Amino acid sequence: MDLTFLLYLSSGVFLGWSLGASEASNFGTAVATKMIKFRTAAIISSVCVILGAVIEGSGATQTLDTLGNITSLAGAFMIAFSAALTTAWMVKLSIPVSTSQAIVGAIIGWNFFAGRPTDLTILSEIITAWFLGPIFGGIFAVILYALLKLLFTHWKLHLLRKDTLTRIALILAGAFGMYALGANNIANVMGVFVKSSPLPPLALPFDIILSQEQVLFLLGGIAISIGISTYSHKVIETIGNTIMKLSPLMAWVVVMAHGIVLYIFSSSELRDLLISWHLPALPLVPVSATQAIIGSVIGLGLAKGGRDLNWSIIGKIIISFIITPITSAIICYISLFFLQNVFLQVVY
Amino acid sequence: MFHLHLSLFSKAKALEADIDRFHDKLIDASMTFTRAIKIYTTEGRNPDFEKHSKQIKQIEHNADELRRHIENNLYSYNLIPDLRADVLELIENFDKVINKIDEVTYMFYAECPDIPEEYQSSFNDLVRLSADAAENMCKASRSFFRDIGAVRDYSQKVYFVEHESDLCSRKMIENIFASDRSLAEKIQLRQFIDGIAEIADEAEDFIDRLLIFTIKRDI
């Protein structure tokens, strides 16, 4: 592994770190209500995100790969860097940004710069998935809420036992959410480096061999974990105390609903199963965890009898669908120009 | 994990049993109180009344010990903090009703008021209403722990009975002050009526809080 590769990979690692710092809010309620310590939440999150990335990360990565066949390491670096920069900028503007939208925009910017056509069928699948993410989040939240209501209407459980079960369920849901985040969002972090990675396969104990792609995902998973451990504390507390100031059971609904959304857009097995049942298969696309959470919270609010939709937050999500990829594409295009003509690097 | 799971549930089971026993204390206190006042109004302070009065004191003492035990265990048991705060507040307020029953019984024991024959039946009616409020409060509180959907039904009964006890106590006070008894007697009787009616008031205050905690936990 040479130093140049590590230098170029740094933008992907940075993107992974910022993803871990900003989107790992699954344990928000559990940590904010002091149900579990941040340290415990960070350890569970890190393990699950790495497992999700390594085991099921390839599905969504293949979709991004079809959108832009990036074979140059310098080009991959600039795509990830542009996406990271756009994400940071949008966060500053308080827009619920998605790294998925930023990376897709940057890939399109690269396609333009390299003079390669963008596969419009794949692009439309990706954009549909962005819309479906929060909508599915809302639908799953409503279904889970109805099931929970049915369960507790018929199952007279003592409050203390219910409390114990809630705590266990919240931790399991948080772990599932992180696994799904790793599986779905690793494509954003490491997807563009897959074609240009010189990393060799890695042999682990118990005859486990990680492919070249999985080694890259392992590195990305570790970067996300470092983001969770070093910088997500404040975000987790903010989310737990403000946006997701829900009762522990409702927090479980939201975390599960968003986890299911991320999972169905990542799992190749689930897609194959749907196809074998002659059901419409969903594209394997990286979607936004934050937007799925917002969709779930809105769905839950409607299911509980709320009549007013928060149009301001919905508007911000739609704005994010438009301006995040465009901004990212422009930044990527300009940066690639400088990288090619000033720093004399081969970017495609 | 399996061991942790089992130990969490066995701890919960012990605490559940303590909370149930604590609720039983109010039912015991309320029934003993009704019987004690009935004995007092018909026979005065006789050994039977004294026996019941001591029983109530003992129930109150046991309830206090149980309350402290539950409160300590609630801290060691790793409840969701918000729920722990609510349960602690409920237990404290629940105990106030038992204390009130003990306080009123002791007033009868220590002051030995003369209950005129024409008010004896009203006194017993008022005691029955207050005891009814306390017992329904107990059922509502038990439901909060076991069947949250039933809390509202029992709470409504408490509100209804408390209103009835208010009407009954006012009518008694008006009748007493319209009579030609001495002012000292009138004031003493009013204090006893207020004391008995306060049991229902405490039950109503408890229910007000309980309903808020129920709404917080309603799915």
Side-chain angles (χ1 to χ4, degrees), chain B residues 28-29 32-33 36-37 39 45-62 101-102 104-110:
Chain B
D28 290 348
T32 315
F33 174 67
I37 303 302
I39 294 166
R45 186 182 139 175
N46 64 5
D48 199 17
F49 169 78
E50 287 175 5
K51 190 183 89 184
H52 281 86
S53 169
K54 276 180 190 158
Q55 270 178 12
I56 291 173
K57 184 81 236 159
Q58 190 58 44
I59 291 167
E60 192 271 339
H61 177 70
N62 292 345
I101 290 174
D102 176 49
V104 175
T105 316
Y106 182 70
M107 276 168 68
F108 276 95
Y109 181 88

PDB file of all heavy atoms in Angstrom, chain B residues 28-29 32-33 36-37 39 45-62 101-102 104-110:
ATOM      1  N   ASP B  28     -56.369  -2.081  53.077  1.00  0.00           N
ATOM      2  CA  ASP B  28     -56.479  -2.485  54.493  1.00  0.00           C
ATOM      3  C   ASP B  28     -56.839  -1.276  55.345  1.00  0.00           C
ATOM      4  O   ASP B  28     -57.748  -1.323  56.179  1.00  0.00           O
ATOM      5  CB  ASP B  28     -55.145  -3.055  55.007  1.00  0.00           C
ATOM      6  CG  ASP B  28     -54.844  -4.412  54.383  1.00  0.00           C
ATOM      7  OD1 ASP B  28     -55.765  -4.972  53.754  1.00  0.00           O
ATOM      8  OD2 ASP B  28     -53.697  -4.879  54.525  1.00  0.00           O
ATOM      9  N   ALA B  29     -56.076  -0.165  55.133  1.00  0.00           N
ATOM     10  CA  ALA B  29     -56.282   1.036  55.949  1.00  0.00           C
ATOM     11  C   ALA B  29     -57.704   1.573  55.752  1.00  0.00           C
ATOM     12  O   ALA B  29     -58.390   1.924  56.728  1.00  0.00           O
ATOM     13  CB  ALA B  29     -55.257   2.107  55.570  1.00  0.00           C
ATOM     14  N   THR B  32     -60.362  -0.779  57.386  1.00  0.00           N
ATOM     15  CA  THR B  32     -60.270  -0.718  58.852  1.00  0.00           C
ATOM     16  C   THR B  32     -60.815   0.626  59.350  1.00  0.00           C
ATOM     17  O   THR B  32     -61.491   0.696  60.381  1.00  0.00           O
ATOM     18  CB  THR B  32     -58.799  -0.906  59.305  1.00  0.00           C
ATOM     19  OG1 THR B  32     -58.231  -1.983  58.579  1.00  0.00           O
ATOM     20  CG2 THR B  32     -58.690  -1.183  60.787  1.00  0.00           C
ATOM     21  N   PHE B  33     -60.515   1.669  58.603  1.00  0.00           N
ATOM     22  CA  PHE B  33     -60.969   3.016  58.957  1.00  0.00           C
ATOM     23  C   PHE B  33     -62.510   3.082  58.957  1.00  0.00           C
ATOM     24  O   PHE B  33     -63.123   3.574  59.912  1.00  0.00           O
ATOM     25  CB  PHE B  33     -60.382   4.006  57.929  1.00  0.00           C
ATOM     26  CG  PHE B  33     -60.869   5.423  58.061  1.00  0.00           C
ATOM     27  CD1 PHE B  33     -60.533   6.194  59.170  1.00  0.00           C
ATOM     28  CD2 PHE B  33     -61.653   6.011  57.063  1.00  0.00           C
ATOM     29  CE1 PHE B  33     -60.976   7.505  59.284  1.00  0.00           C
ATOM     30  CE2 PHE B  33     -62.087   7.309  57.170  1.00  0.00           C
ATOM     31  CZ  PHE B  33     -61.747   8.064  58.286  1.00  0.00           C
ATOM     32  N   ALA B  36     -63.721   1.241  61.964  1.00  0.00           N
ATOM     33  CA  ALA B  36     -63.377   1.936  63.216  1.00  0.00           C
ATOM     34  C   ALA B  36     -64.343   3.096  63.476  1.00  0.00           C
ATOM     35  O   ALA B  36     -64.850   3.259  64.592  1.00  0.00           O
ATOM     36  CB  ALA B  36     -61.942   2.456  63.144  1.00  0.00           C
ATOM     37  N   ILE B  37     -64.628   3.883  62.436  1.00  0.00           N
ATOM     38  CA  ILE B  37     -65.495   5.054  62.637  1.00  0.00           C
ATOM     39  C   ILE B  37     -66.937   4.608  62.894  1.00  0.00           C
ATOM     40  O   ILE B  37     -67.654   5.224  63.695  1.00  0.00           O
ATOM     41  CB  ILE B  37     -65.414   6.030  61.419  1.00  0.00           C
ATOM     42  CG1 ILE B  37     -63.958   6.459  61.175  1.00  0.00           C
ATOM     43  CG2 ILE B  37     -66.317   7.260  61.615  1.00  0.00           C
ATOM     44  CD1 ILE B  37     -63.269   7.142  62.343  1.00  0.00           C
ATOM     45  N   ILE B  39     -67.776   1.931  64.493  1.00  0.00           N
ATOM     46  CA  ILE B  39     -67.775   1.525  65.911  1.00  0.00           C
ATOM     47  C   ILE B  39     -67.817   2.775  66.790  1.00  0.00           C
ATOM     48  O   ILE B  39     -68.589   2.866  67.748  1.00  0.00           O
ATOM     49  CB  ILE B  39     -66.525   0.664  66.241  1.00  0.00           C
ATOM     50  CG1 ILE B  39     -66.590  -0.670  65.485  1.00  0.00           C
ATOM     51  CG2 ILE B  39     -66.378   0.446  67.735  1.00  0.00           C
ATOM     52  CD1 ILE B  39     -65.277  -1.431  65.459  1.00  0.00           C
ATOM     53  N   ARG B  45     -65.475   5.543  72.125  1.00  0.00           N
ATOM     54  CA  ARG B  45     -64.115   4.982  72.137  1.00  0.00           C
ATOM     55  C   ARG B  45     -64.052   3.772  73.059  1.00  0.00           C
ATOM     56  O   ARG B  45     -63.737   3.894  74.241  1.00  0.00           O
ATOM     57  CB  ARG B  45     -63.131   6.064  72.579  1.00  0.00           C
ATOM     58  CG  ARG B  45     -61.692   5.625  72.481  1.00  0.00           C
ATOM     59  CD  ARG B  45     -60.742   6.681  72.956  1.00  0.00           C
ATOM     60  NE  ARG B  45     -59.675   6.083  73.740  1.00  0.00           N
ATOM     61  CZ  ARG B  45     -58.644   6.745  74.208  1.00  0.00           C
ATOM     62  NH1 ARG B  45     -58.547   8.055  73.999  1.00  0.00           N
ATOM     63  NH2 ARG B  45     -57.713   6.138  74.917  1.00  0.00           N
ATOM     64  N   ASN B  46     -64.369   2.609  72.558  1.00  0.00           N
ATOM     65  CA  ASN B  46     -64.311   1.378  73.356  1.00  0.00           C
ATOM     66  C   ASN B  46     -63.082   0.557  72.947  1.00  0.00           C
ATOM     67  O   ASN B  46     -62.370   0.939  71.999  1.00  0.00           O
ATOM     68  CB  ASN B  46     -65.613   0.584  73.188  1.00  0.00           C
ATOM     69  CG  ASN B  46     -65.811   0.103  71.764  1.00  0.00           C
ATOM     70  OD1 ASN B  46     -64.937   0.289  70.940  1.00  0.00           O
ATOM     71  ND2 ASN B  46     -66.949  -0.507  71.498  1.00  0.00           N
ATOM     72  N   PRO B  47     -62.771  -0.545  73.613  1.00  0.00           N
ATOM     73  CA  PRO B  47     -61.571  -1.339  73.274  1.00  0.00           C
ATOM     74  C   PRO B  47     -61.555  -1.793  71.809  1.00  0.00           C
ATOM     75  O   PRO B  47     -60.488  -1.889  71.195  1.00  0.00           O
ATOM     76  CB  PRO B  47     -61.662  -2.536  74.208  1.00  0.00           C
ATOM     77  CG  PRO B  47     -62.460  -2.055  75.363  1.00  0.00           C
ATOM     78  CD  PRO B  47     -63.439  -1.068  74.824  1.00  0.00           C
ATOM     79  N   ASP B  48     -62.754  -2.068  71.249  1.00  0.00           N
ATOM     80  CA  ASP B  48     -62.804  -2.503  69.851  1.00  0.00           C
ATOM     81  C   ASP B  48     -62.309  -1.388  68.909  1.00  0.00           C
ATOM     82  O   ASP B  48     -61.528  -1.643  67.985  1.00  0.00           O
ATOM     83  CB  ASP B  48     -64.263  -2.886  69.512  1.00  0.00           C
ATOM     84  CG  ASP B  48     -64.331  -3.775  68.282  1.00  0.00           C
ATOM     85  OD1 ASP B  48     -63.271  -4.342  67.918  1.00  0.00           O
ATOM     86  OD2 ASP B  48     -65.425  -3.901  67.704  1.00  0.00           O
ATOM     87  N   PHE B  49     -62.773  -0.142  69.209  1.00  0.00           N
ATOM     88  CA  PHE B  49     -62.321   0.996  68.390  1.00  0.00           C
ATOM     89  C   PHE B  49     -60.799   1.159  68.533  1.00  0.00           C
ATOM     90  O   PHE B  49     -60.081   1.377  67.549  1.00  0.00           O
ATOM     91  CB  PHE B  49     -63.031   2.288  68.819  1.00  0.00           C
ATOM     92  CG  PHE B  49     -62.401   3.513  68.190  1.00  0.00           C
ATOM     93  CD1 PHE B  49     -62.649   3.855  66.873  1.00  0.00           C
ATOM     94  CD2 PHE B  49     -61.525   4.326  68.932  1.00  0.00           C
ATOM     95  CE1 PHE B  49     -62.037   4.953  66.284  1.00  0.00           C
ATOM     96  CE2 PHE B  49     -60.918   5.428  68.360  1.00  0.00           C
ATOM     97  CZ  PHE B  49     -61.185   5.750  67.022  1.00  0.00           C
ATOM     98  N   GLU B  50     -60.335   1.054  69.814  1.00  0.00           N
ATOM     99  CA  GLU B  50     -58.889   1.235  70.067  1.00  0.00           C
ATOM    100  C   GLU B  50     -58.063   0.190  69.301  1.00  0.00           C
ATOM    101  O   GLU B  50     -56.987   0.487  68.788  1.00  0.00           O
ATOM    102  CB  GLU B  50     -58.603   1.171  71.572  1.00  0.00           C
ATOM    103  CG  GLU B  50     -59.085   2.433  72.267  1.00  0.00           C
ATOM    104  CD  GLU B  50     -58.949   2.394  73.779  1.00  0.00           C
ATOM    105  OE1 GLU B  50     -58.386   1.401  74.293  1.00  0.00           O
ATOM    106  OE2 GLU B  50     -59.426   3.338  74.429  1.00  0.00           O
ATOM    107  N   LYS B  51     -58.618  -1.040  69.262  1.00  0.00           N
ATOM    108  CA  LYS B  51     -57.919  -2.102  68.534  1.00  0.00           C
ATOM    109  C   LYS B  51     -57.797  -1.728  67.039  1.00  0.00           C
ATOM    110  O   LYS B  51     -56.723  -1.838  66.446  1.00  0.00           O
ATOM    111  CB  LYS B  51     -58.707  -3.413  68.680  1.00  0.00           C
ATOM    112  CG  LYS B  51     -57.948  -4.641  68.176  1.00  0.00           C
ATOM    113  CD  LYS B  51     -58.769  -5.896  68.263  1.00  0.00           C
ATOM    114  CE  LYS B  51     -59.572  -6.070  66.981  1.00  0.00           C
ATOM    115  NZ  LYS B  51     -60.469  -7.212  66.990  1.00  0.00           N
ATOM    116  N   HIS B  52     -58.907  -1.247  66.472  1.00  0.00           N
ATOM    117  CA  HIS B  52     -58.883  -0.859  65.057  1.00  0.00           C
ATOM    118  C   HIS B  52     -57.952   0.328  64.819  1.00  0.00           C
ATOM    119  O   HIS B  52     -57.250   0.396  63.803  1.00  0.00           O
ATOM    120  CB  HIS B  52     -60.305  -0.516  64.578  1.00  0.00           C
ATOM    121  CG  HIS B  52     -61.122  -1.729  64.288  1.00  0.00           C
ATOM    122  ND1 HIS B  52     -61.847  -2.401  65.274  1.00  0.00           N
ATOM    123  CD2 HIS B  52     -61.317  -2.421  63.147  1.00  0.00           C
ATOM    124  CE1 HIS B  52     -62.457  -3.426  64.718  1.00  0.00           C
ATOM    125  NE2 HIS B  52     -62.163  -3.466  63.438  1.00  0.00           N
ATOM    126  N   SER B  53     -57.975   1.266  65.772  1.00  0.00           N
ATOM    127  CA  SER B  53     -57.113   2.449  65.655  1.00  0.00           C
ATOM    128  C   SER B  53     -55.636   2.028  65.631  1.00  0.00           C
ATOM    129  O   SER B  53     -54.835   2.546  64.846  1.00  0.00           O
ATOM    130  CB  SER B  53     -57.412   3.376  66.835  1.00  0.00           C
ATOM    131  OG  SER B  53     -56.464   4.384  66.904  1.00  0.00           O
ATOM    132  N   LYS B  54     -55.298   1.073  66.528  1.00  0.00           N
ATOM    133  CA  LYS B  54     -53.900   0.587  66.565  1.00  0.00           C
ATOM    134  C   LYS B  54     -53.555  -0.142  65.261  1.00  0.00           C
ATOM    135  O   LYS B  54     -52.427  -0.042  64.768  1.00  0.00           O
ATOM    136  CB  LYS B  54     -53.701  -0.367  67.756  1.00  0.00           C
ATOM    137  CG  LYS B  54     -53.412   0.370  69.043  1.00  0.00           C
ATOM    138  CD  LYS B  54     -53.228  -0.573  70.193  1.00  0.00           C
ATOM    139  CE  LYS B  54     -53.197   0.227  71.502  1.00  0.00           C
ATOM    140  NZ  LYS B  54     -53.532  -0.589  72.652  1.00  0.00           N
ATOM    141  N   GLN B  55     -54.534  -0.858  64.741  1.00  0.00           N
ATOM    142  CA  GLN B  55     -54.299  -1.581  63.472  1.00  0.00           C
ATOM    143  C   GLN B  55     -53.946  -0.598  62.358  1.00  0.00           C
ATOM    144  O   GLN B  55     -53.020  -0.825  61.570  1.00  0.00           O
ATOM    145  CB  GLN B  55     -55.567  -2.336  63.051  1.00  0.00           C
ATOM    146  CG  GLN B  55     -55.640  -3.750  63.586  1.00  0.00           C
ATOM    147  CD  GLN B  55     -56.943  -4.432  63.177  1.00  0.00           C
ATOM    148  OE1 GLN B  55     -57.673  -3.943  62.322  1.00  0.00           O
ATOM    149  NE2 GLN B  55     -57.233  -5.545  63.813  1.00  0.00           N
ATOM    150  N   ILE B  56     -54.689   0.524  62.345  1.00  0.00           N
ATOM    151  CA  ILE B  56     -54.426   1.528  61.296  1.00  0.00           C
ATOM    152  C   ILE B  56     -53.015   2.106  61.463  1.00  0.00           C
ATOM    153  O   ILE B  56     -52.284   2.289  60.495  1.00  0.00           O
ATOM    154  CB  ILE B  56     -55.505   2.638  61.312  1.00  0.00           C
ATOM    155  CG1 ILE B  56     -56.835   2.045  60.831  1.00  0.00           C
ATOM    156  CG2 ILE B  56     -55.110   3.830  60.431  1.00  0.00           C
ATOM    157  CD1 ILE B  56     -58.034   2.957  60.939  1.00  0.00           C
ATOM    158  N   LYS B  57     -52.648   2.379  62.742  1.00  0.00           N
ATOM    159  CA  LYS B  57     -51.292   2.903  63.007  1.00  0.00           C
ATOM    160  C   LYS B  57     -50.238   1.925  62.471  1.00  0.00           C
ATOM    161  O   LYS B  57     -49.250   2.324  61.847  1.00  0.00           O
ATOM    162  CB  LYS B  57     -51.127   3.092  64.522  1.00  0.00           C
ATOM    163  CG  LYS B  57     -49.827   3.700  64.961  1.00  0.00           C
ATOM    164  CD  LYS B  57     -49.837   5.197  64.816  1.00  0.00           C
ATOM    165  CE  LYS B  57     -48.688   5.662  63.963  1.00  0.00           C
ATOM    166  NZ  LYS B  57     -48.852   6.953  63.390  1.00  0.00           N
ATOM    167  N   GLN B  58     -50.484   0.634  62.737  1.00  0.00           N
ATOM    168  CA  GLN B  58     -49.538  -0.400  62.298  1.00  0.00           C
ATOM    169  C   GLN B  58     -49.466  -0.461  60.759  1.00  0.00           C
ATOM    170  O   GLN B  58     -48.380  -0.571  60.183  1.00  0.00           O
ATOM    171  CB  GLN B  58     -49.971  -1.765  62.865  1.00  0.00           C
ATOM    172  CG  GLN B  58     -48.942  -2.890  62.674  1.00  0.00           C
ATOM    173  CD  GLN B  58     -47.590  -2.572  63.314  1.00  0.00           C
ATOM    174  OE1 GLN B  58     -47.531  -2.084  64.454  1.00  0.00           O
ATOM    175  NE2 GLN B  58     -46.512  -2.778  62.570  1.00  0.00           N
ATOM    176  N   ILE B  59     -50.644  -0.356  60.124  1.00  0.00           N
ATOM    177  CA  ILE B  59     -50.683  -0.388  58.653  1.00  0.00           C
ATOM    178  C   ILE B  59     -49.892   0.787  58.090  1.00  0.00           C
ATOM    179  O   ILE B  59     -49.086   0.647  57.160  1.00  0.00           O
ATOM    180  CB  ILE B  59     -52.152  -0.348  58.134  1.00  0.00           C
ATOM    181  CG1 ILE B  59     -52.875  -1.650  58.481  1.00  0.00           C
ATOM    182  CG2 ILE B  59     -52.203  -0.104  56.624  1.00  0.00           C
ATOM    183  CD1 ILE B  59     -54.399  -1.588  58.298  1.00  0.00           C
ATOM    184  N   GLU B  60     -50.096   1.963  58.703  1.00  0.00           N
ATOM    185  CA  GLU B  60     -49.405   3.174  58.244  1.00  0.00           C
ATOM    186  C   GLU B  60     -47.890   3.011  58.403  1.00  0.00           C
ATOM    187  O   GLU B  60     -47.110   3.364  57.500  1.00  0.00           O
ATOM    188  CB  GLU B  60     -49.907   4.381  59.042  1.00  0.00           C
ATOM    189  CG  GLU B  60     -49.500   5.738  58.504  1.00  0.00           C
ATOM    190  CD  GLU B  60     -48.173   6.237  59.051  1.00  0.00           C
ATOM    191  OE1 GLU B  60     -47.732   5.765  60.129  1.00  0.00           O
ATOM    192  OE2 GLU B  60     -47.554   7.081  58.394  1.00  0.00           O
ATOM    193  N   HIS B  61     -47.474   2.436  59.537  1.00  0.00           N
ATOM    194  CA  HIS B  61     -46.054   2.220  59.803  1.00  0.00           C
ATOM    195  C   HIS B  61     -45.462   1.242  58.771  1.00  0.00           C
ATOM    196  O   HIS B  61     -44.397   1.498  58.195  1.00  0.00           O
ATOM    197  CB  HIS B  61     -45.900   1.667  61.227  1.00  0.00           C
ATOM    198  CG  HIS B  61     -44.495   1.330  61.591  1.00  0.00           C
ATOM    199  ND1 HIS B  61     -43.543   2.301  61.789  1.00  0.00           N
ATOM    200  CD2 HIS B  61     -43.873   0.134  61.758  1.00  0.00           C
ATOM    201  CE1 HIS B  61     -42.385   1.702  62.068  1.00  0.00           C
ATOM    202  NE2 HIS B  61     -42.566   0.390  62.049  1.00  0.00           N
ATOM    203  N   ASN B  62     -46.189   0.141  58.533  1.00  0.00           N
ATOM    204  CA  ASN B  62     -45.719  -0.847  57.547  1.00  0.00           C
ATOM    205  C   ASN B  62     -45.644  -0.240  56.144  1.00  0.00           C
ATOM    206  O   ASN B  62     -44.718  -0.524  55.374  1.00  0.00           O
ATOM    207  CB  ASN B  62     -46.651  -2.062  57.504  1.00  0.00           C
ATOM    208  CG  ASN B  62     -46.585  -2.865  58.791  1.00  0.00           C
ATOM    209  OD1 ASN B  62     -45.660  -2.686  59.588  1.00  0.00           O
ATOM    210  ND2 ASN B  62     -47.564  -3.728  59.018  1.00  0.00           N
ATOM    211  N   ILE B 101     -55.536   8.938  56.538  1.00  0.00           N
ATOM    212  CA  ILE B 101     -56.466   8.023  57.224  1.00  0.00           C
ATOM    213  C   ILE B 101     -56.000   7.815  58.669  1.00  0.00           C
ATOM    214  O   ILE B 101     -56.794   7.887  59.610  1.00  0.00           O
ATOM    215  CB  ILE B 101     -56.542   6.673  56.458  1.00  0.00           C
ATOM    216  CG1 ILE B 101     -57.266   6.865  55.114  1.00  0.00           C
ATOM    217  CG2 ILE B 101     -57.237   5.598  57.297  1.00  0.00           C
ATOM    218  CD1 ILE B 101     -57.287   5.641  54.215  1.00  0.00           C
ATOM    219  N   ASP B 102     -54.702   7.624  58.828  1.00  0.00           N
ATOM    220  CA  ASP B 102     -54.141   7.428  60.169  1.00  0.00           C
ATOM    221  C   ASP B 102     -54.344   8.681  61.023  1.00  0.00           C
ATOM    222  O   ASP B 102     -54.738   8.609  62.197  1.00  0.00           O
ATOM    223  CB  ASP B 102     -52.650   7.102  60.033  1.00  0.00           C
ATOM    224  CG  ASP B 102     -51.968   6.989  61.380  1.00  0.00           C
ATOM    225  OD1 ASP B 102     -52.505   6.267  62.246  1.00  0.00           O
ATOM    226  OD2 ASP B 102     -50.905   7.623  61.568  1.00  0.00           O
ATOM    227  N   VAL B 104     -56.664  11.071  60.767  1.00  0.00           N
ATOM    228  CA  VAL B 104     -58.068  11.282  61.151  1.00  0.00           C
ATOM    229  C   VAL B 104     -58.484  10.279  62.244  1.00  0.00           C
ATOM    230  O   VAL B 104     -59.146  10.643  63.228  1.00  0.00           O
ATOM    231  CB  VAL B 104     -58.992  11.167  59.910  1.00  0.00           C
ATOM    232  CG1 VAL B 104     -60.455  11.272  60.310  1.00  0.00           C
ATOM    233  CG2 VAL B 104     -58.655  12.249  58.898  1.00  0.00           C
ATOM    234  N   THR B 105     -58.021   9.034  62.096  1.00  0.00           N
ATOM    235  CA  THR B 105     -58.359   8.028  63.120  1.00  0.00           C
ATOM    236  C   THR B 105     -57.782   8.449  64.473  1.00  0.00           C
ATOM    237  O   THR B 105     -58.432   8.330  65.520  1.00  0.00           O
ATOM    238  CB  THR B 105     -57.797   6.638  62.722  1.00  0.00           C
ATOM    239  OG1 THR B 105     -58.067   6.411  61.358  1.00  0.00           O
ATOM    240  CG2 THR B 105     -58.396   5.532  63.558  1.00  0.00           C
ATOM    241  N   TYR B 106     -56.547   8.963  64.435  1.00  0.00           N
ATOM    242  CA  TYR B 106     -55.918   9.390  65.687  1.00  0.00           C
ATOM    243  C   TYR B 106     -56.668  10.576  66.308  1.00  0.00           C
ATOM    244  O   TYR B 106     -56.772  10.674  67.530  1.00  0.00           O
ATOM    245  CB  TYR B 106     -54.443   9.751  65.441  1.00  0.00           C
ATOM    246  CG  TYR B 106     -53.752  10.156  66.716  1.00  0.00           C
ATOM    247  CD1 TYR B 106     -53.491   9.209  67.712  1.00  0.00           C
ATOM    248  CD2 TYR B 106     -53.411  11.479  66.958  1.00  0.00           C
ATOM    249  CE1 TYR B 106     -52.892   9.571  68.910  1.00  0.00           C
ATOM    250  CE2 TYR B 106     -52.812  11.860  68.143  1.00  0.00           C
ATOM    251  CZ  TYR B 106     -52.563  10.897  69.117  1.00  0.00           C
ATOM    252  OH  TYR B 106     -51.996  11.260  70.308  1.00  0.00           O
ATOM    253  N   MET B 107     -57.216  11.461  65.438  1.00  0.00           N
ATOM    254  CA  MET B 107     -58.009  12.595  65.965  1.00  0.00           C
ATOM    255  C   MET B 107     -59.192  12.066  66.779  1.00  0.00           C
ATOM    256  O   MET B 107     -59.504  12.566  67.868  1.00  0.00           O
ATOM    257  CB  MET B 107     -58.531  13.457  64.805  1.00  0.00           C
ATOM    258  CG  MET B 107     -57.536  14.493  64.286  1.00  0.00           C
ATOM    259  SD  MET B 107     -58.088  15.204  62.716  1.00  0.00           S
ATOM    260  CE  MET B 107     -59.515  16.144  63.216  1.00  0.00           C
ATOM    261  N   PHE B 108     -59.859  11.045  66.248  1.00  0.00           N
ATOM    262  CA  PHE B 108     -60.990  10.432  66.980  1.00  0.00           C
ATOM    263  C   PHE B 108     -60.490   9.822  68.284  1.00  0.00           C
ATOM    264  O   PHE B 108     -61.103   9.969  69.339  1.00  0.00           O
ATOM    265  CB  PHE B 108     -61.665   9.343  66.120  1.00  0.00           C
ATOM    266  CG  PHE B 108     -62.673   9.886  65.151  1.00  0.00           C
ATOM    267  CD1 PHE B 108     -62.335  10.176  63.845  1.00  0.00           C
ATOM    268  CD2 PHE B 108     -63.996  10.116  65.563  1.00  0.00           C
ATOM    269  CE1 PHE B 108     -63.262  10.686  62.952  1.00  0.00           C
ATOM    270  CE2 PHE B 108     -64.935  10.628  64.656  1.00  0.00           C
ATOM    271  CZ  PHE B 108     -64.568  10.912  63.350  1.00  0.00           C
ATOM    272  N   TYR B 109     -59.334   9.152  68.196  1.00  0.00           N
ATOM    273  CA  TYR B 109     -58.776   8.460  69.361  1.00  0.00           C
ATOM    274  C   TYR B 109     -58.393   9.460  70.460  1.00  0.00           C
ATOM    275  O   TYR B 109     -58.699   9.271  71.633  1.00  0.00           O
ATOM    276  CB  TYR B 109     -57.541   7.661  68.910  1.00  0.00           C
ATOM    277  CG  TYR B 109     -56.864   6.870  69.998  1.00  0.00           C
ATOM    278  CD1 TYR B 109     -57.264   5.571  70.309  1.00  0.00           C
ATOM    279  CD2 TYR B 109     -55.803   7.422  70.727  1.00  0.00           C
ATOM    280  CE1 TYR B 109     -56.630   4.842  71.298  1.00  0.00           C
ATOM    281  CE2 TYR B 109     -55.172   6.709  71.722  1.00  0.00           C
ATOM    282  CZ  TYR B 109     -55.588   5.413  71.998  1.00  0.00           C
ATOM    283  OH  TYR B 109     -54.966   4.708  72.999  1.00  0.00           O
ATOM    284  N   ALA B 110     -57.758  10.553  70.060  1.00  0.00           N
ATOM    285  CA  ALA B 110     -57.216  11.497  71.043  1.00  0.00           C
ATOM    286  C   ALA B 110     -58.269  12.488  71.540  1.00  0.00           C
ATOM    287  O   ALA B 110     -58.339  12.790  72.737  1.00  0.00           O
ATOM    288  CB  ALA B 110     -56.044  12.250  70.429  1.00  0.00           C
TER     289      ALA B 110
END
